[in-house]
Amino acid sequence: AALYILTQIYEHRLFEWENLIFYWIAVMVFQDLAFYTMHYVDHYCRLFWAVHVTHHSSEEFNLTVGLRSSLFEPLYRFVFFIPLVLIGLKPLDIFFAFSLTQLYGIFIHTQSVKNLGVIEKIMATPSNHRVHHGSNVKYLDKNMGMFLIIWDRIFGTYQKEEEPVTYGLTKNLESHDAWTVIFHEFKSMFHDVKNAPTLKAKFMYIFGPPGWSHDGSRKTSRQLQREKKKRK
């Protein structure tokens, strides 16, 4: 369905690529940027975090976590590829490049590979991605890149692996029930919306960052990080 929709949009593309080398470089780079954008939204909009949290709820970190995919992401992630199609990148080529980088992403879910030196500055590596799965305050919402880490360096979401990583969520589920793992955040979100005192609060409980609360009873990752800096 996603391929069909993108193919229809491709018929209205704005550019044609003549140089095949530049074209494939653009496919690889721009689809990775599209993934970074989607991943950023997943972490900073609670509605999408409710989907993505499945991937982060494991308290282990190994190759199987790379396969612990969010159930509903395929329903909307193609939307982030629409700009790529409009600049003349073919949908099937985008999907091919995306598949390659996602396959690569599975293998960086490991604790066996340590720091890779200069490669850490360019690529998403096991070290960089261990940070991403950490519930340590300084590691929250960092290192979103799946193939290239340069987007995190450009947009200010990069964090080097420094202290030992505690994997999982800031508040772990203590359950392996599939229904709980997949839907717990949706349940919490609907509860907050139902009990929110104002229309603005209801909106923020859906589209605001995870951890936002109208009364300050919970904290977002940025609030926690600011508080930690002040204590230092």
Side-chain angles (χ1 to χ4, degrees):
L3 185 61
Y4 174 78
I5 293 170
L6 292 176
T7 300
Q8 297 306 306
I9 297 173
Y10 179 74
E11 296 300 319
H12 305 281
R13 59 192 178 277
L14 303 176
F15 303 102
E16 296 285 349
W17 293 78
E18 296 181 0
N19 188 299
L20 196 60
I21 295 176
F22 287 162
Y23 171 81
W24 277 104
I25 291 174
V27 170
M28 292 298 297
V29 170
F30 287 132
Q31 67 81 27
D32 197 54
L33 176 58
F35 175 85
Y36 172 88
T37 305
M38 182 192 76
H39 204 176
Y40 186 94
V41 171
D42 284 344
H43 278 257
Y44 283 101
C45 176
R46 191 180 183 189
L47 176 62
F48 295 104
W49 173 248
V51 177
H52 187 58
V53 70
T54 303
H55 182 62
H56 281 267
S57 60
S58 174
E59 295 176 57
E60 305 293 335
F61 191 73
N62 50 47
L63 296 181
T64 67
V65 177
L67 300 170
R68 190 185 178 98
S69 298
S70 305
L71 185 61
F72 301 112
E73 274 187 0
L75 298 179
Y76 65 84
R77 65 184 172 194
F78 75 92
V79 172
F80 293 87
F81 294 144
I82 290 176
L84 281 61
V85 173
L86 288 174
I87 64 171
L89 305 182
K90 297 178 181 178
L92 196 60
D93 294 343
I94 295 170
F95 278 29
F96 172 72
F98 182 72
S99 297
L100 288 180
T101 54
Q102 290 295 294
L103 182 63
Y104 171 82
I106 292 174
F107 292 100
I108 62 175
H109 290 81
T110 177
Q111 299 181 59
S112 299
V113 179
K114 306 307 178 184
N115 189 287
L116 296 176
V118 69
I119 297 176
E120 303 284 343
K121 298 181 181 297
I122 304 170
M123 305 288 294
T125 64
S127 177
N128 286 330
H129 207 62
R130 285 193 290 270
V131 167
H132 180 67
H133 278 262
S135 61
N136 316 46
V137 170
K138 73 184 301 181
Y139 291 164
L140 296 175
D141 301 333
K142 301 297 184 181
N143 298 359
M144 309 278 191
M146 179 57 67
F147 182 61
L148 300 174
I149 205 68
I150 57 174
W151 312 121
D152 292 281
R153 293 182 175 276
I154 292 171
F155 298 117
T157 53
Y158 179 76
Q159 172 61 52
K160 182 180 179 181
E161 184 179 19
E162 295 173 339
E163 62 191 40
V165 183
T166 301
Y167 300 105
L169 307 174
T170 54
K171 183 179 180 181
N172 288 310
L173 299 180
E174 299 180 358
S175 173
H176 295 292
D177 174 68
W179 183 269
T180 300
V181 170
I182 295 170
F183 292 105
H184 74 276
E185 185 63 18
F186 285 106
K187 182 180 178 181
S188 297
M189 182 175 67
F190 291 144
H191 176 270
D192 289 339
V193 171
K194 181 180 178 181
N195 293 283
T198 65
L199 187 62
K200 179 183 177 181
K202 292 181 186 294
F203 178 88
M204 289 297 294
Y205 276 126
I206 299 173
F207 298 105
W212 183 90
S213 58
H214 71 279
D215 57 3
S217 59
R218 298 194 299 266
K219 305 290 184 182
T220 67
S221 60
R222 287 176 174 173
Q223 288 172 329
L224 291 170
Q225 287 162 354
R226 282 196 295 267
E227 288 180 357
K228 185 174 182 178
K229 284 183 179 180
K230 286 181 180 178
R231 288 196 296 269
K232 289 182 177 180

